[in-house]
Amino acid sequence: MNKCPHSPPTPGGDAGRVALQALLRERSMMAPLRVFHRMLGNIFRITVPGFRPVMMAGPEANRFVLVEARDQLSWRPEGDPVVDLLRHGVLIEDGEWHDRLRGQMTPALHKKRMAGYVESMWRRTDQVVDGWHGSGPHDMLDEMRKVALLILMETLYKVDFTPELERLWPAILKLLQYISPGFWLLWRGVPRPGYTEAIQMMDDYLYRIIRERRADPGETDDLLGLLVASDWMSDGLIRDQLLTMFIAGHDTSTALLAWALYLLGKHPEAMARARAEVDAVLGRADPTYETVEQLDYLDRVIKETLRLYPPIHLGTRRATADLTFDGYGIPAGDRVVYSIYLTHRDPEQWREPDRFDPERFLVTRGQRTYEPYAYVPFGGGPRNCIGAVYGQVEAKVVLARLLQTVELTLADVPVHEHMGATLEPRPGVMMSVKERD
């Protein structure tokens, strides 16, 4: 007779007490998760009234969620605000419907399209830098959000977002707050003031640019053009994909760029080395796809930033069948969360995991220094992030342009990890700015 699988462990008195101390000390929800991982292992259950997800971490857990059990784990979290917001966006669809949407969108995000986006990336970076009046300090979280928004809209939608940036800024922040973890996890009916107005503003804008593209299609090699050119997508379905890329695409880039600048500011020797590489490869010339591909050290800085502070720090699924992992049972209907952040900070996978060390990504003789599924900033398996290549090229171009044109010095302001729509540095990354000679 087969025994029923054990239930995942839950935080007891000691784990709860240590987790609370860590939360108060670090002011970040990531702190208690690290405590639970250390004390309970690679699978455990959070026990908060109304919110009891199974948490998983480690390469085997990642492989289980992303590959082995992926057909029994739904991406669509019915009842969560992200579904209310993105409706039928590619990010929260399953099965053949997801595959059809992704197939329509992929050409605009293919590696072969990146060379054509680089000029927009450095020009929009210059545009934001030109607005930095005086030495600062300037909050790089806000400034990199401007850069990411302008780049995404020009490269993927062929729209100049400059006239709308100030007007829609509060609505954008409101929508990001709406889908971030909060009291809605515990009380689903809690009022969300300001959301209706924010989504109406974004919808009005998105439907307008869809109408304008339908009236004058022009080239159809960008994302908006590909969607409009399809013979099966309604304006509403196009809106869902545009908003998905708008929210998910720019916010992940914002977090990555802000954390990279924070780490470079915290480690002046790394800043100096990255700047020297940019000077040696680019000189005073504008970046191109070919030249930024030669920035090996900057590439390692970006990879290490993604390890320490993965913007998408967790992935959430819903079990559609009873599952078993590592001897523990996961009943159908349970929320399953795999923590990219905990895997990336696991001392069993990474030497001195909390230390910033770009050299851990130095590839020698074609061999990686970490095992498969220990490093998953863009997910993995058949549904890895559709914008993974785009995001890494963008980060390299923007950081190279900043290193090429300005000197940035980190202010002495404490920064902590904030679990928002992405993993953000709070209260921000304050840096003074000096134009390079």
Side-chain angles (χ1 to χ4, degrees):
M1 181 175 179
N2 293 329
K3 294 182 178 180
C4 294
H6 297 292
S7 297
T10 58
D14 287 345
R17 175 178 51 78
V18 176
L20 178 60
Q21 292 172 345
L23 174 63
L24 296 174
R25 182 175 62 251
E26 299 184 31
R27 296 189 299 164
S28 169
M29 284 302 300
M30 311 312 289
L33 289 180
R34 290 201 303 272
V35 170
F36 295 151
H37 183 218
R38 184 177 72 249
M39 298 182 71
L40 302 177
N42 282 334
I43 178 170
F44 54 91
R45 186 184 290 279
I46 300 293
T47 53
V48 178
F51 184 65
R52 303 182 71 254
V54 174
M55 299 289 301
M56 303 174 71
E60 292 307 314
N62 294 340
R63 191 195 316 273
F64 177 81
V65 172
L66 296 170
V67 180
E68 295 169 2
R70 67 184 183 88
D71 292 334
Q72 290 80 48
L73 291 165
S74 172
W75 285 67
R76 190 168 182 83
E78 297 289 359
D80 285 7
V82 68
V83 174
D84 296 337
L85 179 63
L86 303 183
R87 303 193 313 207
H88 292 287
V90 65
L91 184 65
I92 52 172
E93 291 294 315
D94 291 303
E96 293 181 3
W97 185 240
H98 162 269
D99 295 345
R100 190 178 186 191
L101 290 169
R102 183 171 177 136
Q104 188 70 34
M105 301 167 71
T106 294
L109 294 157
H110 194 276
K111 185 176 181 178
K112 65 184 180 182
R113 296 285 297 130
M114 296 304 113
Y117 296 155
V118 169
E119 182 173 350
S120 294
M121 291 172 175
W122 63 257
R123 285 194 183 278
R124 290 304 184 180
T125 304
D126 287 353
Q127 176 184 336
V128 172
V129 170
D130 288 344
W132 293 350
H133 304 296
S135 61
H138 300 277
D139 183 358
M140 291 299 131
L141 183 62
D142 282 348
E143 299 306 311
M144 293 304 102
R145 189 177 306 283
K146 296 173 188 174
V147 170
L149 283 166
L150 292 167
I151 289 173
L152 182 143
M153 294 302 293
E154 180 172 321
T155 56
L156 299 187
Y157 303 169
K158 288 188 177 174
V159 171
D160 180 4
F161 197 60
T162 307
E164 305 291 347
L165 187 58
E166 183 175 353
R167 182 179 73 86
L168 291 177
W169 186 265
I172 294 166
L173 298 183
K174 196 73 177 177
L175 296 185
L176 292 171
Q177 182 184 27
Y178 181 77
I179 61 175
S180 299
F183 285 115
W184 65 264
L185 289 167
L186 310 180
W187 299 286
R188 297 305 174 98
V190 65
R192 312 296 298 276
Y195 165 71
T196 302
E197 294 79 4
I199 190 56
Q200 188 62 57
M201 290 181 69
M202 284 303 307
D203 277 356
D204 289 346
Y205 174 72
L206 293 174
Y207 282 119
R208 172 161 63 84
I209 66 173
I210 294 169
R211 289 195 304 270
E212 291 171 351
R213 181 57 73 89
R214 286 203 186 277
D216 183 15
E219 297 180 6
T220 59
D221 58 346
D222 64 306
L223 181 60
L224 176 56
L226 287 167
L227 299 178
V228 168
S230 71
D231 59 2
W232 58 277
M233 297 187 72
S234 66
D235 285 5
L237 191 56
I238 293 172
R239 169 267 186 205
D240 297 348
Q241 312 321 311
L242 295 184
L243 188 57
T244 296
M245 291 303 300
F246 184 90
I247 295 294
H250 101 266
D251 199 39
T252 51
S253 293
T254 297
L256 169 56
L257 289 165
W259 280 118
L261 290 171
Y262 169 76
L263 288 169
L264 288 172
K266 285 279 288 185
H267 301 274
E269 71 288 351
M271 178 84 82
R273 183 172 174 182
R275 182 182 295 118
E277 180 183 62
V278 168
D279 289 348
V281 173
L282 299 181
R284 295 183 177 273
D286 296 326
T288 66
Y289 183 74
E290 291 72 23
T291 54
V292 296
E293 283 290 284
Q294 300 172 39
L295 299 173
D296 295 331
Y297 181 71
L298 186 58
D299 184 70
R300 296 198 292 278
V301 167
I302 292 168
K303 285 183 168 62
E304 178 70 340
T305 302
L306 288 167
R307 185 189 69 81
L308 285 168
Y309 303 108
I312 302 301
H313 53 90
L314 56 80
T316 182
R317 306 284 193 275
R318 184 78 65 178
T320 60
D322 291 343
L323 300 171
T324 302
F325 174 76
D326 198 23
Y328 293 104
I330 303 171
D334 271 15
R335 187 188 295 262
V336 177
V337 178
Y338 76 100
S339 176
I340 298 169
Y341 177 92
L342 292 178
T343 301
H344 286 188
R345 300 282 186 131
D346 188 347
E348 293 188 8
Q349 305 300 325
W350 305 93
R351 177 175 44 82
E352 298 182 78
D354 295 330
R355 184 167 69 92
F356 175 67
D357 180 17
E359 295 309 291
R360 71 175 83 239
F361 288 96
L362 184 63
V363 176
T364 57
R365 298 180 182 177
Q367 297 296 314
R368 295 183 303 185
T369 57
Y370 52 92
E371 68 174 271
Y373 294 95
Y375 181 70
V376 287
F378 299 102
R383 278 194 64 166
N384 65 319
C385 175
I386 191 173
V389 173
Y390 178 97
Q392 291 172 93
V393 171
E394 178 188 30
K396 197 180 289 189
V397 172
V398 172
L399 292 172
R401 192 59 163 181
L402 291 172
L403 291 167
Q404 190 180 33
T405 56
V406 294
E407 293 182 8
L408 296 166
T409 304
L410 186 67
D412 187 17
V413 178
V415 172
H416 64 269
E417 304 153 345
H418 174 72
M419 189 190 293
T422 57
L423 188 64
E424 289 185 357
R426 290 289 182 93
V429 179
M430 306 304 297
M431 304 188 88
S432 59
V433 181
K434 179 183 177 183
E435 186 175 352
R436 290 195 67 187
D437 296 331

